[in-house]
Amino acid sequence: MSLRSGGHVRWAFDLASWHPTAADLLLATSCIQPEEKLRLSRFVFRDDFNASLIGRLMMRRFVQLATNMAYDEIAFARDSKGKPFLKNADDMTVDFNVSHQGRYAVLAGLATGAGSDPGGSVPKIGVDVMKIEHGGGKPLEEFFRLMTRNFSDDEWQYIRGRPDDPARLEAFMRNWCLKESYVKNVGVGITVDLRKINFRICSDTLSRDRTVCDTTLRVNGEPMVGWRFEESLIDRDHCVAVSLENAGPLTAEDTLRENCFELIDFNTLVEGHRPLLAIDENYCDGIISKEYKNLK
C-alpha cells in the first residue's frame, strides 16, 4: 500500500461486512488516542461506534504512509469546529477528511512537501459518502418538498429535470454529497444557507472506475476559483464526492481514474501498528454489551 500520484489516497471500508472479533476490538481500541476512546464510548449504537473507530484507524494509517512517522508518535487534535488535524507534521502539509454513511466509511487524504507552494496556498480536502436511497415512507416529491431549503433553484431544476424517480433521487444525493464535501472542507457545517452554495453538474452519469471532475461551484453567485470536485461511485448504491482547494490544475494526461475509491480491510489498516494504550478488556466488554442491548 502506498500513496498515489500527487500524494493522494482514496479509501473505502465496508462496515457492513466487518464483524470484529473480541481480539480485533482489543487491538483497534488500543490504537487510538485516549480522548478519542472516550468520545467513542459515548455512542449509543454499535454501528456508529464501529464507523468512527474505523475512521480513526484510517486517519492514523494514512498519516503513517504519508509522513513515515512511527505509528504511536502520530498526534491528532481537533480545531475549533471539531475537525481532526495532524498536530506534528513539521515537514509535510497533510490534510484528510473522513465520512461514513450506509455501509461505508471513507477517507480522502492529500500530502505534499513543506514549501511546495511558495504562494502559501495550502491544499485542503473534504469528503462525503451517501447511500442512494429514500426512506421514511413519503413519496419522493414530498421528501423533496421538505428539503426545499437545502438546494438552490438551479440545483432543483437539475434534480427534477432527470427522467425518472431513480435518476432524480441519484441527482439529489449527488448534490447533497457535493455540498457536504464542501462545507466539511471549509469547516462551516450545514448551518449555513445551503441555497447559496450552488453546484452545476455537467456529467449526468457516475461510475465505479472513473472519476468525474467537471462539476463547478458558485457561492453567493461567485465562481469558486481554485476548487476541484471529484465524484464517483463506490458501488451502485453509494456515491462519493471529494472537494479539493488549492490542489493544482489537472494535466492533460491525468484522467483521475486512479482517484476512484479503493476498498481496504481491517488487516491493512492495522498493518505496522504500535499500540498507544494498554489493552482494555473492560472497555471492549462494555462495547459488546451495548451491541446486545441495541438488538433488544
Side-chain angles (χ1 to χ4, degrees):
M1 173 180 274
S2 60
L3 272 63
R4 299 174 182 177
S5 174
H8 290 267
V9 300
R10 304 286 184 272
W11 291 341
F13 187 96
D14 187 351
L15 296 164
S17 66
W18 186 50
H19 306 290
T21 65
D24 291 337
L25 282 178
L26 288 171
L27 170 60
T29 55
S30 72
C31 292
I32 57 177
Q33 294 173 191
E35 67 274 15
E36 295 295 346
K37 182 178 173 182
L38 177 61
R39 181 187 293 266
L40 290 175
S41 70
R42 295 170 179 157
F43 284 112
V44 174
F45 297 105
R46 177 65 183 276
D47 287 349
D48 294 329
F49 174 90
N50 284 356
S52 293
L53 176 60
I54 290 298
R56 304 285 80 73
L57 295 178
M58 286 199 291
M59 287 163 40
R60 191 163 292 273
R61 182 69 171 125
F62 163 63
V63 170
Q64 181 191 31
L65 288 172
T67 66
N68 291 317
M69 293 172 62
Y71 194 89
D72 55 349
E73 292 179 359
I74 297 166
F76 295 112
R78 291 178 180 264
D79 63 20
S80 60
K81 298 180 177 66
K83 183 179 179 180
F85 68 93
L86 178 63
K87 285 175 35 175
N88 53 344
D90 296 333
D91 59 348
M92 294 284 290
T93 296
V94 179
D95 198 30
F96 51 85
N97 199 217
V98 295
S99 177
H100 66 86
Q101 212 264 336
R103 69 181 296 147
Y104 294 103
V106 298
L107 177 141
L110 174 63
T112 56
S116 59
D117 186 350
S121 297
V122 177
K124 294 176 60 181
I125 198 164
V127 67
D128 193 61
V129 59
M130 291 296 298
K131 185 174 183 181
I132 305 171
E133 68 173 357
H134 163 54
K138 294 181 174 62
L140 187 60
E141 190 55 41
E142 174 63 11
F143 173 65
F144 285 173
R145 186 188 67 79
L146 295 173
M147 300 294 287
T148 296
R149 295 176 59 86
N150 293 314
F151 296 99
S152 69
D153 290 343
D154 288 341
E155 288 169 331
W156 277 121
Q157 183 176 358
Y158 177 80
I159 293 167
R160 289 194 165 101
R162 307 302 293 143
D164 53 34
D165 277 358
R168 284 188 280 273
L169 180 61
E170 181 175 341
F172 176 93
M173 292 303 178
R174 279 185 69 181
N175 274 277
W176 187 258
C177 205
L178 285 161
K179 283 183 191 278
E180 284 275 13
S181 75
Y182 171 74
V183 299
K184 289 177 68 180
N185 191 322
V186 299
V188 298
I190 57 173
T191 57
V192 297
D193 187 348
L194 296 179
R195 292 171 297 181
K196 296 180 180 179
I197 301 171
N198 183 29
F199 282 94
R200 181 175 182 269
I201 291 174
C202 297
S203 297
D204 291 334
T205 304
L206 297 182
S207 66
R208 283 173 273 190
D209 60 357
R210 184 178 180 276
T211 304
V212 166
C213 54
D214 55 1
T215 294
T216 59
L217 171 65
R218 288 178 176 266
V219 177
N220 294 320
E222 296 295 324
M224 299 301 289
V225 178
W227 283 83
R228 183 170 84 232
F229 297 90
E230 301 173 2
E231 298 178 84
S232 59
L233 297 177
I234 299 176
D235 62 24
R236 66 181 183 180
D237 298 321
H238 293 79
C239 61
V240 62
V242 176
S243 65
L244 293 143
E245 183 183 16
N246 303 320
L250 298 175
T251 61
E253 65 273 12
D254 186 0
T255 65
L256 287 180
R257 288 184 184 276
E258 68 171 17
N259 272 4
C260 292
F261 277 71
E262 171 190 4
L263 280 172
I264 59 172
D265 60 20
F266 180 71
N267 289 333
T268 301
L269 283 183
V270 297
E271 182 179 342
H273 75 279
R274 293 184 185 174
L276 284 73
L277 303 172
I279 293 294
D280 189 342
E281 293 186 3
N282 290 333
Y283 181 89
C284 292
D285 286 345
I287 297 303
I288 294 170
S289 296
K290 184 181 295 188
E291 180 177 22
Y292 288 131
K293 290 178 183 178
N294 290 338
L295 291 174
K296 293 180 179 180

